[in-house]
Amino acid sequence: PKQLKAFMVEFDVPPLTDEIVELIPKQRMTVGKMMSAGTLLTYTLSADRRKLWSVMLGSSAKGIEDELQKFPLTRFMQYRISELMFHEAATAGIPSMSMN
């Protein structure tokens, strides 16, 4: 199997239009599915809503680009994909279960 690599995707978010606002629920659903599948690790929007950053796992930048096309809002945004040397993050959410 191919080794998965981490990629940072930086999006330039356009001003909100009615069409974009209408697609936000579908975008959020896609984000949830990708996070559950382990393809999407992080999804972060700046306070001014102009930048969006995601860390994704894939075998290549082309593979990441293919995954980005699943997001309903990608067609409205410019983006850049950068392969990462590493990605570390503190785990959040459900604590580990103890077997004691």
Side-chain angles (χ1 to χ4, degrees):
K2 284 189 177 182
Q3 178 76 16
L4 293 181
K5 303 172 189 175
F7 294 85
M8 171 68 74
V9 184
E10 181 180 2
F11 298 89
D12 296 321
V13 181
L16 294 180
T17 63
D18 289 343
E19 186 178 11
I20 290 173
V21 169
E22 199 173 286
L23 291 172
I24 289 173
K26 288 181 182 176
Q27 179 85 2
R28 292 185 70 186
M29 191 164 54
T30 303
V31 166
K33 287 179 182 176
M34 287 184 170
M35 285 192 153
S36 293
T39 306
L40 181 64
L41 302 181
T42 63
Y43 189 78
T44 306
L45 181 64
S46 64
D48 65 8
R49 297 182 182 175
R50 291 183 178 178
K51 293 281 185 187
L52 176 68
W53 298 274
S54 293
V55 175
M56 300 180 73
L57 293 179
S59 57
S60 67
K62 173 69 173 114
I64 296 298
E65 196 156 352
D66 292 344
E67 286 297 305
L68 293 178
Q69 299 315 307
K70 295 177 182 178
F71 288 119
L73 296 179
T74 297
R75 64 189 163 115
F76 298 100
M77 297 186 268
Q78 297 287 323
Y79 59 87
R80 285 162 300 292
I81 301 171
S82 302
E83 185 175 343
L84 302 176
M85 180 61 66
F86 62 87
H87 171 70
E88 293 184 29
T91 55
I94 302 169
S96 307
M97 183 172 24
S98 172
M99 296 304 281
N100 288 343

